[in-house]
Structures are given as C-alpha cells and as structure tokens.
Amino acid sequence: MDRIDRELLAALINDGRATYQELGRLVRLSSNTVADRIRRLRKDGVIRGYRAELDYAVLGRDMQIMSDIRLQDTVDPAEFERGLDDVPQVISASRLTGEYNYQLRIVCANALELEGIIDRLKKHNGVRQAHSRLVLHEVPLARDRILGA
C-alpha cells in the first residue's frame, strides 16, 4: 500500500460516497486508475464495505448505553452472540478479556426501554450481570488518523 492508496482510503473514510472522478482529482489520477486501485483494496480485504452513518437520536433513540456483560457460566458464547440478532437495540458487541465477557453498545428511547432490554438479556440470553453506563457524547476523532500510525 503506497501513499496514494492511503490518500484514497482517507478520502473514503470521510466520504464513502465519493465518486471515482472526485477521488481521481484528489490524488491526480484518472477515474479508471482510481477504480482499479479501489477494486484491489477491496480484493485484498483492506476495504470491507461501505455503510451509512445513522443519527440514532433522529430515529427516536437518543440514549446510548455502554453495557459490560457477564454471562452465566453455562452459556456458550457463540449462542449468546447469535441471540444478539434478536435484540435490535444492540448496535455493536465486543468480546472482552477480563472481568466481563462482552461490551454492548445499546441505543434506546428511554430508561424503561433499557430496563426491558437488560431484563430480556438476562431472561433469554444467559446474562448474569450487566454494568451499564450512559454515553454523554462521543468524542469527535478524525477517522482517517489510523492511516498515519
């Protein structure tokens, strides 16, 4: 991966809908050459896809919660992970080392909905303990800064 690939990735991180023509102007290459580079980056697995960034508050889910989850000893982690598909308010999940098994990011409308989600996770998904915290705001970090590491 060279400097031009990094510039293309930085541009796509900040605007995944940029056209090949716009990207070409940015890196001073033809749109066909840019398309070839992006196809290669996709084939190599550097670019895994493109996603819309949602504003959950606009969707009526203005509470974001980080919840550390400890499973019951008898729960299979793979089964727990599959069960998360049935809880649409869980927007991300990470398996952890340490005291807790998982960290979930949950979006919901209010405390009553959060209570229902936690109760459901305990009743149907084998959660023994949930330690939840309200996200006050996200710290805006440049998403393309990883390319300089």
Side-chain angles (χ1 to χ4, degrees):
M1 197 163 61
D2 63 12
R3 177 190 56 80
I4 293 173
D5 287 342
R6 289 182 188 281
E7 288 179 19
L8 289 171
L9 289 171
L12 288 171
I13 287 170
N14 291 307
D15 181 6
R17 293 182 53 141
T19 66
Y20 294 144
Q21 189 175 31
E22 292 167 334
L23 294 169
R25 277 195 299 272
L26 179 71
V27 297
R28 295 185 174 102
L29 292 175
S30 73
S31 55
N32 287 338
T33 302
V34 166
D36 289 342
R37 282 178 172 261
I38 290 174
R39 274 192 289 276
R40 179 180 44 77
L41 290 167
R42 289 192 69 169
K43 180 179 170 269
D44 292 347
V46 176
I47 297 173
R48 295 188 326 189
Y50 303 92
R51 290 165 192 78
E53 191 172 315
L54 303 179
D55 185 333
Y56 296 106
V58 173
L59 297 172
R61 310 238 176 242
D62 55 356
M63 283 183 65
Q64 289 195 42
I65 309 298
M66 299 301 288
S67 190
D68 295 326
I69 299 296
R70 183 177 294 137
L71 299 178
Q72 297 172 11
D73 293 336
T74 59
V75 174
D76 175 29
E79 185 178 325
F80 171 76
E81 292 175 16
R82 282 190 299 273
L84 291 176
D85 280 334
D86 296 330
V87 188
Q89 298 92 335
V90 175
I91 59 171
S92 72
S94 300
R95 190 162 182 199
L96 307 174
T97 63
E99 187 176 348
Y100 293 94
N101 303 106
Y102 289 88
Q103 184 173 76
L104 306 181
R105 187 173 197 96
I106 300 169
V107 293
C108 53
N110 52 45
L112 184 62
E113 184 179 14
L114 176 61
E115 182 179 21
I117 294 164
I118 298 298
D119 288 347
R120 175 193 167 91
L121 289 169
K122 287 181 176 180
K123 184 175 180 180
H124 299 291
N125 297 80
V127 170
R128 179 174 63 184
Q129 181 183 10
H131 179 222
S132 301
R133 293 150 335 272
L134 177 67
V135 175
L136 298 176
H137 75 271
E138 296 220 24
V139 178
L141 299 172
R143 293 178 295 185
D144 61 353
R145 63 190 171 72
I146 189 65
L147 297 171

